[in-house]
Amino acid sequence: MDSDRRDGAGETVRNVVSGDAVVSGPVVQADRIGSLTFATTPAPASITPRQVPPPRPGFVNRTAEFAALSAALASYGPDSPPATIVITGLGGVGKTELVSQWVWRELAERFPDGQLYADLAEVRRYGGIDVGGVIGTLLRALGVHESLIPAGTADRSALFRSATAGRRLLVVLDNAQHAAEVRPMLPSHGLAVVLSRKRLASLEVDGAVPLTVGPLDTDAGVQLVRRWHQPAAEPDPACGADPGAAARLVAACGGLPLALRAAGEWLIERPHMSLEAVVDALAEEQLRPGEADRSVAAVFDAVTATFCAPTLALYRFLGAFPGTTFTADVAGAAGVPRFEDGLRDLRTAHMAVGAGAPGRFRLHDVVAAHARTRTGPEQDVREMRRRVTDFYLAAAARADRLVLGARFRLQEAPPALPDGSHGLFGTGAEALDWLDAERANLLAVLRTAAEEGWHDAVWRLCESLWALYHGRKHYADWIESHRLGIEAARWEGRIDAEVRMRNQLARAHYSLGEYDLADAELSRADELLGAVADARLPGIIRETQGLLCLARKRPDEAIALFTRALHANEGDPHGIVVQSYNLGQAVLAAGRPQDALDLLDGAMATARAEGDDAMQVRLGIVRGRAHRASGRFEQALEAVTDAALLAERLGQVVKLKEALELTVELGDRMQNPQVQRAARGKMRELRQRAGIGEPVD
């Protein structure tokens, strides 16, 4: 017996059996399922996360705080319940550095499964944060595959608890403001350390151990001064002509390490001056012991007054920059000269710190507050922000095209990026990572552009962010940005853009299960369709309306809507395939599996002819369901096995998981041990590699 057929990857598979042997279809499919290697599916957290910032040199004192931290963990062991420590203190008092030193000195071996770190200040806007977005980032660091991270915050929190179960893990949440934003990010095992400027009393009620970090005392502060200011003529500058000079400086800086380190930069630049003269010079800047905020501002004033022109230009740019983290590319686009020189000065003064990814930085939040008061003339600020907006407009548009290819867009090809920015990203994966790293900045730029009345830039940038929101599911950002996009399109009189924005906003609500909110956006878009000429716009609205009907188990209404969407895509092979796929699902849901197969088989032929591999996977899975509904289990198994093999080759983890789940069910229906073993074994392997582990049955 000799049989030929095509598998989902476009390769011919021949099964040759001689003699009296009998071919058992399910056995052949079980062998094919067993051949899955998951070569394109990343193994979970092959690199143990070590995200807590490294300690800095020059750390002094804090003996009492280290003792308190050690006491808090005295009874903690590998099998202990999860523990939480809340560390509070003024901004700039050194909370993060204390934790970094503690991790380096005592905790590296105690929590071998890794350290997660999230600075909530980087994603805080208008006092709140996207908790679900932060949890998504933590899950990715633990090796959970992006496509398997659920939509809702509650579901993400539940998955985070599952992913941290049994792990000896340290989670550090910096710059927290409210207990409510922290609780969903607490692990189910290990230690959580929460850093805040104020007490989080309700966490203490839950059993968290509190620790307050105060300013450095005089002796510790003087130790720092001695390290910074040692002119040859004065072997012990802290005990020169005025033995109290160093102490006066510590008092003037309020004992805050951040202000003292900035003052240290001022001192290092003046080795020829006596400490007394330096303190007197700083005193002219109205340092006032006991008035911490004013004293810190005066120190920063004195330090920035010594900056060279490039450093001062960078500092003023960062004061006016609407985002939270910055790179050489955005500073260059804004016209900042000699970025590396300016950055070196800011980092030496401990005013700028690394922001996780290489080449990305941020000002300490206390420094950022000062920088915002030193931005220069209003017109200069506005011009700089326009250049920044144009940079992100061009970069996001290029990233969108790399990630999603030739999808339907209203805007033309993106403008050229500034010189020197062409190395931002080279592949779709790199472009998506860049969008994700810049997401807080992108939303901040959208807000600024909306406030400035640059409405055309707002909706265009918003359209380009579909690549980010569709790929990484930052729903809070998605919803806010599209509300801005809708308003901008209305200001511009771009009815087509408003329809587009409302549809993309409806998709966010649909994904979150907020069907009534999605309906409301689509209804407003529907009212505008009579004024648009592009037939594709009605098509995308009908498609989303159809998806909502399908989700609400109203297949007949979905069929009518998908049929209209199908007609709107005439002449577009990919659009025809997508809408045929949607229509096939609706027809199957209506209880007509053979009609669904007729639609799906035609769409599969078109997808193969067009080389549309991604849609072949989707079509194969639904064809498998249609065959199953007709009782043709062997045909269903073959169709879904084809889909699984192709999904694995393309790295489509969600669809691979979906296909394997269907093979598990088919193996049970057929009561075939080979299929059951192969499907369950590969399902377990996939779950482990996708970072979600645990049950198959």
Side-chain angles (χ1 to χ4, degrees), residues 342-651:
L343 177 65
R344 183 191 61 243
D345 290 345
L346 290 177
R347 297 201 76 185
T348 299
H350 301 278
M351 299 171 81
V353 297
R360 187 169 295 279
F361 309 93
R362 69 174 181 86
L363 293 181
H364 189 287
D365 52 348
V366 175
V367 180
H370 177 266
R372 285 193 289 271
T373 68
R374 306 295 190 271
T375 57
E378 184 177 342
Q379 183 59 32
D380 291 351
V381 170
R382 194 169 192 270
E383 290 175 0
M384 181 280 297
R385 287 178 170 170
R386 181 70 227 201
R387 290 193 294 270
V388 167
T389 299
D390 290 342
F391 165 78
Y392 280 112
L393 190 61
R398 289 182 178 274
D400 169 41
R401 279 166 166 77
L402 273 176
V403 176
L404 295 179
R407 74 179 180 100
F408 168 51
R409 296 176 180 86
L410 292 175
Q411 58 186 305
E412 64 279 359
L417 287 168
D419 292 341
S421 298
H422 302 290
L424 282 175
F425 36 75
T427 66
E430 291 172 352
L432 184 57
D433 286 342
W434 179 87
L435 287 167
D436 203 24
E438 291 280 359
R439 71 184 185 93
N441 293 339
L442 287 161
L443 187 56
V445 166
L446 270 172
R447 288 174 173 150
T448 298
E451 291 168 0
E452 294 285 0
W454 301 327
H455 304 302
D456 186 66
V458 172
W459 77 257
R460 290 176 187 274
L461 181 54
C462 191
E463 184 182 39
S464 297
L465 292 181
W466 177 255
L468 169 63
Y469 299 144
H470 184 265
R472 293 287 165 88
K473 316 297 186 188
H474 299 301
Y475 289 104
D477 292 5
W478 185 346
I479 291 169
E480 181 182 348
S481 65
H482 280 73
R483 286 174 178 159
L484 292 172
I486 290 168
E487 188 66 19
R490 296 179 71 182
W491 275 103
E492 283 287 293
R494 287 292 302 261
I495 296 176
D496 55 347
E498 183 179 350
V499 170
R500 182 73 156 152
M501 295 296 99
R502 290 193 182 279
N503 182 72
Q504 291 186 179
L505 177 54
R507 284 299 188 98
H509 290 307
Y510 162 76
S511 297
L512 289 168
E514 298 168 348
Y515 299 150
D516 290 343
L517 293 175
D519 277 337
E521 296 302 330
L522 293 173
S523 295
R524 295 185 185 100
D526 211 347
E527 295 169 357
L528 301 173
L529 289 177
V532 300
D534 194 320
R536 292 173 294 181
L537 286 168
I540 65 173
I541 297 300
R542 303 306 170 220
E543 178 185 13
T544 306
Q545 289 173 330
L547 291 172
L548 283 166
C549 287
L550 205 53
R552 287 167 162 153
K553 303 188 183 305
R554 300 204 300 253
D556 291 335
E557 295 175 49
I559 289 169
L561 289 162
F562 288 140
T563 299
R564 295 172 69 181
L566 181 63
H567 293 323
N569 280 272
E570 289 179 3
D572 178 359
H574 175 71
I576 292 292
V577 170
V578 170
Q579 300 311 326
S580 296
Y581 162 76
N582 288 330
L583 185 56
Q585 289 192 98
V587 171
L588 178 59
R592 293 152 45 197
Q594 187 55 55
D595 290 343
L597 279 167
D598 292 342
L599 279 165
L600 296 166
D601 289 346
M604 181 67 86
T606 302
R608 285 174 175 157
E610 294 292 323
D612 195 342
D613 289 347
M615 286 307 301
Q616 287 185 57
V617 174
R618 294 169 177 263
L619 289 163
I621 293 172
V622 181
R623 287 179 70 241
R625 290 174 179 154
H627 280 303
R628 178 194 61 186
S630 299
R632 295 188 289 265
F633 297 142
E634 290 194 14
Q635 292 93 323
L637 184 60
E638 182 173 357
V640 77
T641 303
D642 286 347
L645 290 168
L646 184 52
E648 190 281 326
R649 182 167 68 83
L650 297 176

Side-chain angles (χ1 to χ4, degrees), residues 31-39 644-645 648 656 660 682 685:
D31 289 342
R32 297 177 70 218
I33 294 167
S35 72
L36 285 166
T37 60
F38 305 120
L645 290 168
E648 190 281 326
L656 177 54
L660 286 175
K682 289 301 173 181
E685 185 179 343

